[in-house]
């Protein structure tokens, strides 16, 4: 699979970077092979934040108390930026606010409270994830395509298949604590033209030359702004989340879980598919970091199959604001440290910063809880992954 993105928005006068290709078989890939293509995300340009919350101490990544400060603000369904500095006072330390709101209040011991951290747009799921996982995956049919390669007619993918691909896309974002993005008719139309182009030439490329059969400037431009796969649109969503062959970027996964994702479109011929993903600036109140596998429950079935697993491609953390280049990762389970290798990922593939960490000598198992701690960053990151079996 390949995934790419060249955005029209300006970020330090640099374009959003392309994401890579997952090639299975490798012969489906164009000459550039599995290399990620495109320029990275620019870091310039800040967005205007919404009104500040009530000042006080920062909330932890999972909404837990963190030291002194007054009582936190109430959770907000839309998240938001943290509060401004609290005033000096003599009150006792209070509790931090929920994960969706900036925390606030009077600082302890006459000291001013620290500013609240950014709120998230959606909390991680709680309770049994299996019911949602099974319901959203009850029908994984790739549907039908009514186009024609010989006539260079893009046609359409059946509405049911498009809805299924979008449902899976939304499921993964939900599990990561992210709001869904809209699937648009225009996005589907563009992705379908891209899928025709890949099918007509029997390979994938983010930069298809004008000599390609069924080439149009629009379909070529869409290819540069899409994830590409030698398979149907539905099955490719799962493949993008495992993301084999992209060890330096995990770009497909990062785009599905991106704060920068404006909308999504799907196009498929059954043989090849494109997942169109136009970019935007991360909105105010966007999640400060996103992990996969995520905090909370995750089915062991989401870790892949014998062919390729998350343990092989890597657990990941991405952020638009936290530099992860020098981060250290600790994983604990049953009171014992689980060794991992840590690799900083290339910038600009759905997020400004990212890392992956891979198990060394152990395999993720259902019924286990893994506590992840990341240090060496501007803010510590801690979360727990509870792996469950959803047969």
């Amino acid at each position: 699979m390949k995934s790419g993105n060249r955005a029209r928005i300006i970020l330090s006068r640099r374009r959003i970077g392309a994401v890579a290709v997952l090639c299975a078989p490798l012969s489906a890939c164009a000459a550039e092979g599995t290399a990620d293509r495109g320029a990275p995300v620019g870091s310039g340009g800040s967005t205007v934040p919404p009104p500040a919350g009530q000042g006080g101490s920062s909330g932890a990544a999972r909404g837990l108390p963190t030291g002194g400060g007054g009582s936190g603000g109430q959770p907000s369904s839309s998240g938001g930026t943290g509060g401004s500095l609290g005033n000096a006072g003599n009150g006792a330390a209070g509790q931090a606010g929920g994960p969706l709101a900036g925390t606030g209040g009077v600082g302890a011991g006459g000291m001013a409270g620290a500013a609240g951290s950014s709120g998230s747009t959606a909390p991680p799921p709680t309770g049994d994830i299996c019911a949602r996982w099974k319901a959203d995956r009850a029908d994984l049919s790739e549907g039908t395509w009514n186009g024609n390669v010989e006539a260079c007619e893009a046609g359409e993918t059946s509405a049911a298949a498009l809805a299924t691909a979008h449902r899976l896309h939304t499921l993964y974002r939900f599990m990561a604590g992210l709001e869904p993005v809209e699937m648009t008719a225009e996005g589907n139309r563009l992705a379908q033209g891209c899928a025709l182009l890949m099918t007509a030439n029997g390979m994938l490329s983010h930069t298809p030359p004008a000599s390609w059969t069924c080439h149009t400037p629009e379909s070529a431009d869409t290819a540069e702004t899409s994830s590409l796969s030698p398979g149907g649109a539905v099955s490719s969503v799962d493949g993008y989340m495992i993301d084999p062959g992209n060890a330096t970027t995990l770009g497909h996964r990062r785009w599905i879980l991106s704060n920068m994702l404006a909308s999504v479109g799907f196009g498929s011929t059954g043989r090849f598919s494109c997942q169109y993903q136009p970019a935007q600036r991360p909105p105010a109140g966007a999640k400060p970091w996103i992990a996969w596998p995520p905090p909370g429950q995750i089915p062991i079935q989401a870790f892949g199959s014998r062919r390729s697993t998350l343990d092989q491609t890597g657990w990941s953390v991405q952020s638009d604001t936290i530099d992860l280049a020098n981060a250290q990762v600790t994983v604990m389970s049953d009171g014992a440290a689980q060794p991992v290798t840590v690799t900083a990922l290339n910038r600009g593939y759905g997020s400004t910063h990212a890392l992956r960490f891979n198990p060394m000598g152990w395999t993720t198992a259902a019924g286990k809880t893994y506590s992840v701690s990341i240090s060496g960053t501007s803010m510590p990151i801690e979360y727990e992954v509870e792996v469950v079996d959803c047969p």
Side-chain angles (χ1 to χ4, degrees):
M1 295 180 185
K2 288 191 175 186
S3 71
N5 217 316
R6 183 181 67 184
R8 292 292 194 273
I9 59 175
I10 301 300
L11 293 176
S12 292
R13 299 186 182 276
R14 301 167 78 180
R15 64 183 184 175
I16 300 295
V19 193
V21 179
L22 178 61
C23 295
L26 290 177
S27 58
C29 291
E32 70 265 30
T34 59
D36 295 318
R37 302 185 62 82
V41 177
S43 59
S46 61
T47 56
V48 178
Q54 296 178 356
S57 64
S58 298
R62 294 177 63 88
L64 302 176
T66 58
S71 60
Q74 295 299 311
S76 163
S77 61
S78 60
T81 58
S84 58
L85 291 176
N87 296 320
N90 297 313
Q95 298 295 307
L100 301 186
T103 56
V106 177
M111 300 300 291
S117 62
S118 296
S120 60
T121 56
T126 57
D128 187 359
I129 190 64
C130 289
R132 172 75 183 260
W133 176 263
K134 291 180 180 180
D136 286 356
R137 303 176 64 83
D139 180 6
L140 299 179
S141 170
E142 294 289 354
T144 59
W145 173 57
N146 63 7
N148 185 292
V149 173
E150 288 72 21
C152 289
E153 293 177 354
E156 294 179 340
T157 300
S158 57
L162 294 176
T164 299
H166 186 228
R167 185 167 61 248
L168 293 180
H169 191 279
T170 298
L171 171 64
Y172 284 118
R173 287 183 64 88
F174 164 77
M175 291 169 65
L178 295 163
E179 297 289 352
V181 294
E182 180 184 8
M183 177 178 69
T184 66
E186 176 65 3
N188 290 341
R189 185 190 69 80
L190 292 171
Q192 193 62 54
C194 171
L196 170 68
L197 181 61
M198 303 301 136
T199 303
N201 294 276
M203 63 181 67
L204 303 174
S205 176
H206 286 301
T207 56
S211 60
W212 269 28
T213 302
C214 300
H215 181 281
T216 66
E218 181 179 76
S219 62
D221 189 63
T222 303
E224 198 172 3
T225 321
S226 299
S227 290
L228 313 177
S229 170
V234 174
S235 60
S236 294
V237 178
D238 286 340
Y240 293 144
M241 290 302 295
I242 302 299
D243 216 358
N246 293 308
T248 61
T249 66
L250 294 179
H252 301 98
R253 184 193 305 173
R254 286 162 66 186
W255 269 114
I256 289 177
L257 303 180
S258 179
N259 285 324
M260 301 178 187
L261 194 59
S263 62
V264 69
F266 302 93
S268 177
T269 65
R271 291 176 53 204
F272 291 86
S273 62
C274 299
Q275 184 172 291
Y276 175 65
Q277 42 210 18
Q280 64 179 3
R281 291 186 185 278
K287 287 179 73 70
W289 56 269
I290 301 158
W292 193 262
Q297 288 190 339
I298 180 172
I300 189 65
Q301 288 77 10
F303 278 75
S305 62
R306 292 179 180 177
R307 177 178 167 186
S308 186
T309 70
L310 286 178
D311 287 348
Q312 294 169 341
T313 60
W315 298 31
S316 61
V317 176
Q318 64 193 70
S319 176
D320 299 310
T321 57
I322 304 170
D323 190 344
L324 300 167
N326 298 310
Q328 295 90 49
V329 178
T330 302
V331 179
M332 301 287 294
S333 184
D334 295 331
Q338 307 296 305
V340 295
T341 60
V342 182
T343 304
L345 299 176
N346 292 348
R347 293 164 58 99
Y349 294 79
S351 66
T352 306
H353 311 284
L355 61 78
R356 65 173 168 89
F357 53 98
N358 297 68
M360 290 180 58
W362 59 276
T363 302
T364 303
K368 297 286 188 179
T369 297
Y370 300 90
S371 300
V372 180
S373 299
I374 300 178
S375 59
T377 58
S378 58
M379 65 174 286
I381 297 173
E382 296 184 353
Y383 59 98
E384 290 189 342
V385 178
E386 180 186 353
V387 184
V388 298
D389 189 14
C390 299

